[in-house]
């Protein structure tokens, strides 16, 4: 009693007690669970209303979100539209277009032994789902999973990243204004708040971020037997084969790499240049960087900044792991790190062992495809593998002899904008997937339903006592 009075006073005064995140988390989840229990989120009409409201938020509040992303990441308005707001709007439109079809019960054939009967799967919402998102695409990676969670008829709690504070605050302010506030909640904060949330029971957790925290999330989820989707990172390689138009490939690689200043989970991490292509490719990459961001990218309105000092220091420490072909300039005060290409990199150097997640692109030279496949298969499975090759046989071999979350031939990153493709990793890059109907599958349960009339009672042969005649019949049927 005394404790709760004290907590009320502390709350009034804005003082955050040590046990407050846990109490807040429990109360928020209880509120969402109470809403789910009423059945309010189940009708398709409610789901469609939420999706349309989220769409309205993204269009009406685009200026506020664009400002927040500029403050957090120096993101240009065009990049914000294409890779954050517009992306989620497309995801909503695709979902609204197909939702009824995705939710339709699916009839499946019934074995003869059970006839007459009907069998089908129905898509059941899971309940209350938790979405934990990172800082690099704080709108897209928070709201795209939310689209799936709502489309599948769930209540949802979003925990945005504290490293993108302006966007986190904007989402916390705006989402309850547009969406059903008893069905969708935003909890801001860092590890303490997330830890408090993870003590609660959720019906699914979708976490996007690094693998270390992914393990924490999975261990916490195990206590409640909560299923998880882990969207992690990795080192996505780009293979370049001789015979490729190197200038065109360099433009595509530079675009995919230096978007969001290299802070994209699907960004090319490094290049494996085969058969003597490394030198000319590095030159073309330097040209592509100049054509996109000018001779001084620090002055380009289209080039982003590193999220915080810790990542800036981590990245600049990697610059010494090779010969700088272009770039290398940096300024800690503005967290600017130029688009950088490194050559003569030792495959054992730190830049080749940790995920770079910034605007540094090592170009390694390998003799041929066999060497590239061996190099790739000796490392953890990444979110994507990219290849620039004129040879159909190379594509066939890469698809058949390597494992990654996705494969992109001729273009990095863009596979995730194809709404019909699943987005997710494999092995160290995570498990489970979402986007489009994969989101609805992730956030719902395919409930198996068998419906058999009581009469006629065709089950008589299965009831004991078993006679020789019943046994003969059962053995013929099963
Ligand atoms: P981050 O630091 O924002 O962390 C992600 C989330 O985990 C945040 O919400 C944060 O508050 C929470 N968190 C941090 N420490 C925690 C702890 N101890 N306990 C509980 N929760 C905690 O983001 P990040 O991890 O730096 O993100 C970058 C990584 O994410 C990269 O590896 C990148 O490849 C990966 N990523 C993957 C995808 C994908 O879709 N697969 C997308 C983007 C980023």
């Amino acid at each position: 009693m005394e404790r709760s009075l004290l907590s009320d006073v502390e709350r009034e005064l804005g003082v955050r007690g040590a046990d407050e995140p846990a109490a807040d988390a429990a109360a928020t989840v209880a509120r969402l669970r109470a809403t789910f229990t009423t059945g309010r989120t189940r009708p398709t009409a409610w789901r469609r209303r939420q999706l349309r409201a989220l769409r309205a938020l993204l269009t009406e509040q685009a200026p506020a979100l664009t400002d927040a992303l500029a403050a957090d990441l120096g993101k240009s308005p065009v990049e914000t539209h294409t890779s954050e707001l517009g992306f989620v709007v497309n995801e909503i439109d695709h979902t609204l277009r197909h939702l009824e079809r995705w939710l339709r019960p699916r009839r499946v054939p019934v074995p003869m032994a059970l006839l007459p009967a009907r069998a089908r799967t129905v898509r059941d919402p899971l309940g209350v789902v938790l979405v934990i998102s990172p800082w690099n695409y704080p709108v897209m990676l928070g709201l795209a999973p939310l689209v799936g969670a709502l489309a599948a008829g769930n209540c949802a709690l979003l925990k945005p990243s504290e490293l993108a504070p302006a966007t986190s605050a904007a989402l916390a302010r705006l989402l309850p204004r547009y969406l059903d506030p008893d069905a969708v909640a935003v909890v801001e904060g860092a590890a303490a708040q997330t830890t408090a949330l993870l003590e609660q029971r959720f019906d699914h957790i979708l976490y996007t971020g690094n693998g270390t925290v992914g393990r924490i999330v999975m261990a916490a989820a195990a206590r409640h037997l909560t299923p998880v989707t882990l969207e992690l990172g990795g080192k996505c390689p780009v293979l370049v084969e001789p015979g490729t138009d190197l200038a065109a490939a360099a433009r595509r690689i530079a675009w995919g790499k230096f978007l969001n200043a290299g802070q994209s989970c699907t960004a090319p991490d490094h290049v494996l240049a085969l058969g003597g292509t490394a030198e000319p490719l590095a030159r073309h990459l330097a040209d592509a960087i100049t054509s996109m961001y000018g001779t001084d990218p620090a002055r380009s309105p289209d080039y982003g900044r590193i999220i915080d000092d810790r990542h800036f220091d981590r990245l600049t420490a990697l610059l010494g792991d090779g010969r700088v072909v272009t770039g290398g300039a940096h300024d800690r005060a503005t967290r600017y790190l130029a688009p950088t290409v490194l050559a003569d990199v030792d495959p054992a150097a730190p830049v080749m062992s940790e995920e770079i997640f910034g605007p540094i692109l090592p170009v390694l030279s390998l003799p041929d495809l066999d060497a590239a496949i061996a190099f790739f298969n000796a490392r953890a499975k990444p979110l994507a593998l990219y290849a620039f090759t004129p040879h159909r046989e190379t594509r066939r071999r890469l698809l058949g002899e390597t494992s990654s979350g996705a494969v992109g031939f001729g273009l990095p990153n863009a596979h995730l904008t194809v709404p019909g493709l699943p987005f997710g990793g494999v092995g160290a890059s995570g498990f489970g997937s979402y986007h489009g109907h994969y989101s609805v599958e992730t956030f719902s349960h395919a409930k198996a339903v068998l419906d058999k009339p009581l009469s006629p009672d065709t089950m008589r042969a299965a009831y004991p006592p078993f006679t020789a005649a019943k046994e003969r019949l059962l053995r013929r049927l099963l």
Side-chain angles (χ1 to χ4, degrees), residues 2 11 196 260 357 379 416:
E2 265 178 34
R11 205 165 285 132
N260 203 26
F357 216 58
R379 287 164 175 75
L416 69 90

Side-chain angles (χ1 to χ4, degrees), residues 125-475:
L126 296 174
V128 181
V129 306
L130 172 63
V131 174
I132 304 176
S133 57
W135 50 266
N136 62 329
Y137 288 88
V139 171
M140 186 225 315
L141 296 172
L143 299 190
L146 192 63
V147 170
L150 295 172
N154 298 286
C155 291
L157 197 161
L158 171 64
K159 214 303 285 168
S161 175
E162 71 283 10
L163 297 189
T167 313
S168 174
L171 292 174
R173 182 169 58 82
L174 295 171
L175 281 173
R177 265 178 53 193
Y178 281 80
L179 301 180
D180 183 339
D182 291 321
V184 179
V186 181
V187 171
E188 288 193 272
Q193 285 72 19
T194 318
T195 305
L197 286 174
L198 288 171
E199 279 161 18
Q200 308 304 312
R201 181 175 74 77
F202 289 92
D203 298 289
H204 193 93
I205 300 175
L206 186 146
Y207 164 82
T208 306
N210 66 76
T212 306
V213 175
R215 285 169 175 80
I216 295 174
V217 170
M218 202 169 160
R223 288 203 300 273
H224 298 289
L225 282 183
T226 297
V228 293
T229 301
L230 295 185
E231 297 279 339
L232 310 177
K235 290 181 80 63
C236 303
V238 186
L239 266 66
V240 177
E241 268 202 325
T244 301
D245 176 343
L246 294 181
R251 283 194 297 274
R252 299 261 171 109
I253 296 168
W255 168 77
K257 174 72 180 185
F258 299 112
L259 179 82
N260 203 26
Q263 302 164 113
S264 307
C265 54
T266 53
D269 181 272
H270 54 279
V271 178
L272 303 176
L274 311 186
T277 55
E279 283 258 347
L281 181 73
R283 279 199 308 276
H284 285 299
L285 283 166
D287 291 346
I289 291 167
T290 308
S291 73
M292 289 178 197
Y293 301 109
T295 49
D296 181 9
R299 292 169 51 193
S300 164
D302 301 325
Y303 187 65
R305 294 297 181 266
I306 306 305
I307 186 72
D308 66 6
D309 290 345
R310 185 174 70 83
H311 282 285
F312 180 86
D313 293 342
R314 178 183 65 76
L315 286 163
T316 48
L318 299 176
L319 290 172
D321 285 354
R323 174 171 57 85
V324 173
V325 176
T326 184
H330 52 279
D331 172 33
R332 196 168 194 271
T334 54
R335 296 195 305 275
Y336 165 73
L337 173 54
T340 299
V341 176
L342 293 183
D344 306 333
V345 173
D346 177 354
V351 78
M352 283 308 297
S353 48
E354 64 182 73
E355 180 184 2
I356 298 171
F357 216 58
I360 302 173
L361 183 64
V363 178
L364 280 78
S365 183
L366 289 178
D368 54 24
L369 184 62
D370 285 337
I373 290 176
F375 186 96
F376 178 90
N377 285 338
R379 287 164 175 75
K381 296 177 183 179
L383 210 46
L385 161 70
Y386 304 116
F388 290 84
T389 173
H391 306 299
R392 185 193 288 251
E393 175 62 9
T394 299
R395 293 170 204 215
R396 195 191 61 74
R397 284 197 60 193
L398 287 174
L399 288 178
E401 296 176 36
T402 68
S403 175
S404 54
V407 171
F409 293 122
L411 188 61
N413 299 354
H415 58 280
L416 69 90
T417 66
V418 179
L421 287 177
F423 180 50
V426 60
S429 53
F431 56 84
S433 64
Y434 73 113
H435 283 187
H437 79 91
Y438 293 96
S439 293
V440 169
E441 284 175 17
T442 288
F443 290 116
S444 66
H445 167 61
K447 186 156 67 180
V449 181
L450 175 68
D451 195 345
K452 182 168 173 57
L454 265 181
S455 167
D457 193 357
T458 56
M459 297 301 293
R460 283 175 196 278
Y463 304 150
F466 299 119
T467 61
K470 282 184 178 178
E471 184 179 354
R472 266 197 311 279
L473 181 62
L474 287 171
R475 284 187 189 279

